[in-house]
């Protein structure tokens, strides 16, 4: 991925190939006004670490030149190298306020989150498949001490990156932000916009345990980006984006198309009424192999259809049944 310079500011992309459908893990060095910022921090792997050190070296820098780290959202493939960098060079880390309790693996929050998914999967008719997923979440808590970001984390504010302004873009994750540099028409997009795949809007609770309307949030956040005057989008995965308005429109259409497709499974002739039945019918074997992703897609879009008045639901014996 090429270096981009505009009016005394330079972006050095760090793009680490992966065999997964994400294609690459991207994070970015930004040199401006004598500072060197890192937007996102890759995966916690020797390969990613090597790419960071090589990129610094190839452009005449070292870790000691880094001024700050700013992250777009809490996912593991965006925060992986934070502690490794901090152990060699102590610099401020900025994250969206809603990321911090997740990055710090706040025990009470994660216990609440387990209860949230336990109830959710039960109510969506997932039965044993849901119980297995909840068990995985419970097991994951044991690894939290190792995975939590050890360093102090500061809240992102308007002045966090010289010349750039953070914009809240919940949907893919509740805490997600993008960073807009108006003068240079740049957007650091994290996972909000990716050229080759649509970002999953992952079902999550708010801090009070209430389900967020993630697909609607994602749609609103996409609309926020539609009117931005931007020439280059720097995404968290895949290639740079130069025609972001076309891509945003494609993603907005994609949400509607998927919702329409799911809606077509309901009707008088259909014996599908629960989210779990719908997920199995639509995603077949992926229902088991990618259970949490598939259920996020289904539940998020059912919420979307319900909010738009296209379906309704009724609780029968503790399980939601949807109908048109
Ligand atoms: Zn992500």
């Amino acid at each position: 991925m090429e270096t981009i310079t505009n009016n005394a500011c330079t972006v050095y992309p760090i793009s680490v190939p992966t065999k997964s459908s994400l294609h690459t893990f991207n994070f970015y060095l930004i040199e401006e006004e004598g500072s060197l910022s890192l937007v996102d921090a890759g995966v916690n792997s020797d390969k990613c670490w090597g790419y960071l050190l090589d990129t610094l070296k190839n452009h005449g820098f070292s870790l000691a030149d880094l001024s700050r780290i700013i992250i777009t959202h809490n996912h593991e493939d965006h925060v992986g190298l934070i502690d490794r960098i901090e152990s060699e060079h102590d610099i401020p880390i900025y994250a969206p306020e809603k990321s911090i309790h997740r990055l710090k693996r706040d025990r009470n929050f994660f216990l609440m989150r387990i209860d949230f998914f336990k109830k959710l999967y039960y109510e969506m008719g997932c039965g044993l498949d849901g119980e297995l997923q909840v068990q995985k979440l419970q097991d994951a808590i044991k690894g939290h001490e190792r995975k939590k970001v050890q360093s102090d984390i500061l809240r992102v504010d308007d002045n966090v990156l010289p010349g750039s302004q953070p914009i809240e873009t919940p949907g893919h994750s509740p805490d997600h932000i993008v960073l807009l540099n108006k003068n240079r028409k740049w957007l650091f997009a994290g996972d909000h916009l990716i050229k080759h795949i649509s970002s999953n809007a992952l079902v999550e609770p708010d801090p009070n345990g209430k389900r967020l309307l993630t697909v609607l949030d994602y749609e609103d956040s996409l609309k926020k980006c539609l009117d931005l005057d931007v020439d280059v989008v720097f995404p968290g995965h895949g290639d740079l984006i130069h025609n972001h308005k076309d891509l945003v429109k494609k993603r907005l259409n994609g949400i509607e198309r998927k919702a329409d497709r799911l809606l077509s499974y309901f009707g008088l002739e259909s014996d599908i009424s629960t989210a779990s039945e719908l997920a199995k019918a639509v995603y077949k074997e992926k229902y088991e192999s990618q259970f949490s992703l598939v259920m996020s897609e289904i539940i998020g879009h059912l919420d979307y259809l319900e909010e738009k008045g296209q379906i309704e639901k009724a609780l029968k014996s503790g399980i939601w049944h949807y109908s048109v």
Side-chain angles (χ1 to χ4, degrees):
M1 208 181 271
E2 70 269 27
T3 297
I4 292 193
T5 300
N6 182 333
N7 197 11
C9 180
T10 303
V11 181
Y12 306 100
I14 305 164
S15 187
V16 184
T18 163
K19 288 195 180 93
S20 81
S21 62
L22 298 170
H23 292 181
T24 59
F25 301 112
N26 302 338
F27 46 128
Y28 298 94
L29 285 166
I30 304 162
E31 184 190 15
E32 186 180 25
E33 293 173 10
S35 73
L36 189 65
S37 306
L38 188 65
V39 171
D40 281 338
V43 175
N44 186 9
S45 70
D46 289 341
K47 184 175 170 183
C48 233
W49 181 245
Y51 270 74
L52 169 64
L53 296 186
D54 286 350
T55 308
L56 285 164
K57 195 173 155 203
N58 291 343
H59 298 290
F61 301 113
S62 72
L63 277 177
D65 295 308
L66 277 178
S67 313
R68 61 182 76 82
I69 304 171
I70 305 153
I71 69 146
T72 57
H73 65 299
N74 73 86
H75 290 165
E76 276 180 38
D77 53 344
H78 293 258
V79 303
L81 294 176
I82 289 178
D83 282 326
R84 206 155 166 178
I85 295 167
E86 290 294 314
S87 69
E88 301 215 7
H89 180 48
D90 188 9
I91 46 173
I93 303 158
Y94 296 91
E97 186 167 21
K98 290 176 186 163
S99 303
I100 297 174
H101 59 288
R102 290 173 186 267
L103 294 173
K104 285 293 184 187
R105 297 291 190 266
D106 178 292
R107 192 172 166 76
N108 287 336
F109 173 76
F110 279 91
L111 289 174
M112 175 278 281
R113 191 171 173 271
I114 288 173
D115 287 341
F116 166 82
F117 280 109
K118 197 172 179 178
K119 183 165 181 279
L120 178 68
Y121 292 144
Y122 180 81
E123 289 182 348
M124 293 300 165
C126 300
L128 187 60
D129 300 302
E131 287 169 34
L132 289 172
Q133 181 62 27
V134 168
Q135 188 59 51
K136 279 188 199 168
L137 293 176
Q138 277 163 343
D139 293 345
I141 280 203
K142 293 171 200 146
H144 272 192
E145 197 47 45
R146 187 173 42 82
K147 284 194 168 174
K148 87 173 187 189
V149 173
Q150 304 294 332
S151 317
D152 289 341
I153 305 169
L154 303 166
R155 190 165 41 87
V156 160
D157 60 34
D158 281 350
N159 305 313
V160 69
L161 182 64
S164 293
Q165 158 203 359
I167 301 172
E168 290 188 356
T169 48
H172 168 69
S173 66
D175 55 330
H176 202 291
I177 58 158
V178 296
L179 292 156
L180 171 69
N181 188 312
K182 265 190 189 164
N183 286 341
R184 299 184 177 87
K185 301 186 180 183
W186 288 345
L187 188 71
F188 295 90
D191 286 353
H192 184 49
L193 281 176
I194 300 172
K195 194 173 186 174
H196 67 284
I197 45 169
S198 63
S199 313
N200 294 303
L202 301 168
V203 165
E204 284 286 340
D206 73 6
N208 301 315
K210 188 169 180 292
R211 181 159 89 247
L212 293 158
L213 300 176
T214 42
V215 173
L216 280 157
D217 286 346
Y218 181 46
E219 186 182 52
D220 287 345
S221 297
L222 283 171
K223 285 178 181 166
K224 266 188 201 175
C225 292
L226 195 56
D227 296 330
L228 298 180
D229 186 13
V230 166
D231 286 338
V232 189
V233 174
F234 299 89
H237 306 281
D239 295 339
L240 298 183
I241 299 161
H242 295 282
N243 51 348
H244 90 287
K245 290 193 183 186
D246 289 346
L247 184 67
V248 171
K249 283 178 199 160
K250 188 173 160 187
R251 296 285 172 255
L252 286 168
N253 283 335
I255 294 172
E256 281 198 31
R257 277 211 319 276
K258 186 168 278 179
D260 284 347
R261 183 171 164 233
L262 297 187
L263 193 61
S264 72
Y265 280 80
F266 295 103
L268 288 177
E269 305 290 305
S270 171
D271 52 5
I272 288 170
S273 67
T274 69
S276 168
E277 287 164 354
L278 179 61
K280 284 178 197 167
V282 176
Y283 288 100
K284 314 262 174 343
E285 66 279 3
K286 271 194 188 169
Y287 172 74
E288 275 186 28
S289 64
Q290 298 185 41
F291 178 81
S292 65
L293 279 180
V294 162
M295 287 312 296
S296 263
E297 282 290 292
I298 294 288
I299 295 166
H301 284 83
L302 287 174
D303 284 344
Y304 179 88
L305 286 165
E306 193 187 350
E307 206 64 22
K308 305 251 166 180
Q310 293 184 277
I311 52 168
E312 48 189 301
K313 67 179 193 286
L315 201 59
K316 292 177 201 162
S317 309
I319 293 173
W320 289 112
H321 290 261
Y322 291 84
S323 59
V324 287

